[in-house]
Amino acid sequence: MADYEITGIRQGGMDGRTHHIEAVKVGESLFLVDQIIDWTKDEVHRFWIWFQEERIDIVALQHGSSRRFYLTVDGGGFPPAALLSLPRV
């Protein structure tokens, strides 16, 4: 399993979900968030971000009502929306 830093995000929003991330930047490549979720859930790769000068792991969780998976930070007292602080691509 390899570790990769997420360095940017592309937000969706056409469906009214203001915090919807549709793709993330890893290195020089842009990946659909569903691909990152699959790799995370299947433990193929691990992803992380820098936030407030700390490395924070990214996890895939399932939303309670919609049952759809989404990416968020792995605890540590950081806000769940820390991914939204990344540059837009």
Side-chain angles (χ1 to χ4, degrees):
M1 181 182 322
D3 289 8
Y4 295 99
E5 179 183 7
I6 295 174
T7 58
I9 62 170
R10 176 175 291 163
Q11 281 187 273
M14 299 302 288
D15 59 2
R17 293 183 292 174
T18 58
H19 293 149
H20 176 68
I21 298 172
E22 68 179 29
V24 298
K25 184 177 180 185
V26 177
E28 295 301 317
S29 299
L30 197 62
F31 295 94
L32 292 176
V33 76
D34 289 337
Q35 181 65 67
I36 302 298
I37 287 169
D38 288 345
W39 284 333
T40 301
K41 288 184 348 189
D42 296 341
E43 298 182 357
V44 174
H45 301 299
R46 285 186 296 250
F47 297 90
W48 54 276
I49 63 170
W50 280 111
F51 183 75
Q52 297 179 351
E53 299 183 26
E54 290 193 46
R55 179 183 160 153
I56 305 171
D57 290 329
I58 299 299
V59 295
L61 297 179
Q62 193 172 34
H63 190 273
S65 59
S66 71
R67 309 307 293 167
R68 178 165 170 68
F69 280 89
Y70 64 97
L71 295 177
T72 190
V73 297
D74 188 20
F78 295 100
L83 275 168
L84 297 174
S85 71
L86 293 175
R88 302 309 186 258
V89 295

